Amino acid sequence: MTGDFAIISLRGGAIDAIRSADLGRKTALAQESATRWFARRVSLRSPLDAALPERPGRPDKPLLTPPTQVEKRSLHTLKGRIALLHAIAHIELNAVDLALDIVARFATEQVPNSFFDGWMQVAFEEAKHFRMVRARLNDLGADYGDLPAHDGLWQAAHSTRNDLTARLAVVPLILEARGLDVTPSLQAKMRETGDLESAAVLDVIYNDEKGHVAVGAKWFRFLCAREKRDPAKAFQELVRANFRGPLKPPFNDLARAEAGLTPSFYRSLASISHA
């Protein structure tokens, strides 16, 4: 399947993948665009690239609802584990489109090619994660789309569409970093229930996500250095301006620090959001 794609440029391939409502095609195109870019077989952008869509392509299901209406279930039931895996599949699918969107939307920024290398590695791995979680849902007799899902991730990113530094603050350094906080307890709960296969999928996601936060932190610091801004202070200002939710502890300080996201970035925001 991968050999059939007409990928004009990295930006063109990324936009084509974002626009695709066929999720098998979307993930394959994301990975093939990454592979060709890593081999330097395509240029960064082309005048023939399609327009970047307002929203990513999606199948008819799942039904998108406000986060408050997504039902919580116990992981000690099969339905509960399916619901959790479905929510994770939805997060990973959004993460594919968000990584591709950073590449496509900011392809004219004055950044080294290694910026695009990093984000296409993220896109490649998020596509892998989505497929792994979907395959696990299939093993359990379910599929992505069977349950409602919320639209918060894309909405959170939309406000930063005109500012790369703000996008890096919100997507990798808040949304992805949140995965580092919550995943270890989910892994432990999956093992408690005896669902070792799902726990193994979460292990892969958790280890890759550390790298994704690190890519975000690296380029956030790069842009702050170029603009002569203090990274922790800039992060706090950008989050207050562009992110509506609270930053909720507990934080996985060790995993965050390994990825270059130290407590000086986020601790004060957590206390403000709880005031």
Side-chain angles (χ1 to χ4, degrees), residues 106 109 115 160-173 216 219-227 229-231 234-235 238-239 242:
F106 300 106
E109 289 280 326
F115 173 88
T160 60
R161 63 194 178 279
N162 298 318
D163 182 342
L164 177 56
T165 315
R167 170 64 64 92
L168 293 173
V170 169
V171 175
L173 302 187
W219 291 108
F220 184 81
R221 289 174 184 278
F222 171 88
L223 292 173
C224 286
R226 194 165 70 182
E227 295 162 15
R229 297 171 78 183
D230 174 78
F235 177 75
L238 290 163
V239 170
N242 294 286

Side-chain angles (χ1 to χ4, degrees), residues 109-143:
E109 289 280 326
Q110 295 300 307
V111 288
N113 276 347
S114 53
F115 173 88
F116 302 103
D117 294 346
W119 287 109
M120 288 312 295
Q121 185 64 36
V122 173
F124 189 99
E125 289 172 355
E126 302 290 19
K128 175 185 73 177
H129 297 167
F130 176 75
R131 288 178 170 172
M132 289 175 72
V133 180
R134 190 176 196 180
R136 184 64 193 137
L137 280 170
N138 294 164
D139 292 343
L140 298 174
D143 197 6

Side-chain angles (χ1 to χ4, degrees), residues 179-195:
L180 299 184
D181 302 334
V182 302
T183 306
S185 66
L186 295 176
Q187 290 165 301
K189 284 175 186 167
M190 284 292 191
R191 288 195 180 92
E192 276 171 32
T193 66
D195 189 344

Side-chain angles (χ1 to χ4, degrees), residues 81-99:
R81 292 199 299 282
I82 286 171
L84 173 69
L85 289 166
H86 192 279
I88 292 170
H90 186 65
I91 289 166
E92 297 301 326
L93 177 61
N94 275 283
V96 175
D97 284 316
L98 287 169

Side-chain angles (χ1 to χ4, degrees), residues 220 230-237 264-265:
F220 184 81
D230 174 78
K233 194 179 285 186
F235 177 75
Q236 290 154 17
E237 289 166 1
S264 61
F265 275 68

Side-chain angles (χ1 to χ4, degrees), residues 28-217:
L29 188 45
Q31 292 189 327
E32 181 64 11
S33 297
T35 300
R36 293 191 197 180
W37 171 252
F38 296 149
R40 299 296 188 254
R41 287 165 49 206
V42 289
S43 63
L44 175 58
R45 56 186 189 270
S46 159
L48 302 176
D49 296 340
L52 189 59
E54 272 289 299
R55 296 186 58 83
R58 288 287 183 270
D60 294 338
K61 290 180 174 180
L63 177 71
L64 295 179
T65 63
T68 50
Q69 291 177 19
V70 177
E71 191 182 341
K72 302 272 190 296
R73 294 186 175 98
S74 165
L75 292 186
H76 290 280
T77 66
L78 176 60
K79 276 188 174 176
R81 292 199 299 282
I82 286 171
L84 173 69
L85 289 166
H86 192 279
I88 292 170
H90 186 65
I91 289 166
E92 297 301 326
L93 177 61
N94 275 283
V96 175
D97 284 316
L98 287 169
L100 294 169
D101 187 79
I102 283 180
V103 168
R105 187 174 299 278
F106 300 106
T108 56
E109 289 280 326
Q110 295 300 307
V111 288
N113 276 347
S114 53
F115 173 88
F116 302 103
D117 294 346
W119 287 109
M120 288 312 295
Q121 185 64 36
V122 173
F124 189 99
E125 289 172 355
E126 302 290 19
K128 175 185 73 177
H129 297 167
F130 176 75
R131 288 178 170 172
M132 289 175 72
V133 180
R134 190 176 196 180
R136 184 64 193 137
L137 280 170
N138 294 164
D139 292 343
L140 298 174
D143 197 6
Y144 177 68
D146 288 353
L147 298 169
H150 71 78
D151 199 30
L153 285 174
W154 191 260
Q155 288 172 355
H158 192 64
S159 69
T160 60
R161 63 194 178 279
N162 298 318
D163 182 342
L164 177 56
T165 315
R167 170 64 64 92
L168 293 173
V170 169
V171 175
L173 302 187
I174 292 182
L175 301 178
E176 292 241 31
R178 187 76 189 129
L180 299 184
D181 302 334
V182 302
T183 306
S185 66
L186 295 176
Q187 290 165 301
K189 284 175 186 167
M190 284 292 191
R191 288 195 180 92
E192 276 171 32
T193 66
D195 189 344
L196 302 182
E197 294 87 352
S198 295
V201 171
L202 291 176
D203 288 346
V204 173
I205 291 174
Y206 179 66
N207 287 318
D208 287 348
E209 298 294 354
K210 287 182 195 173
H212 301 176
V213 176
V215 170

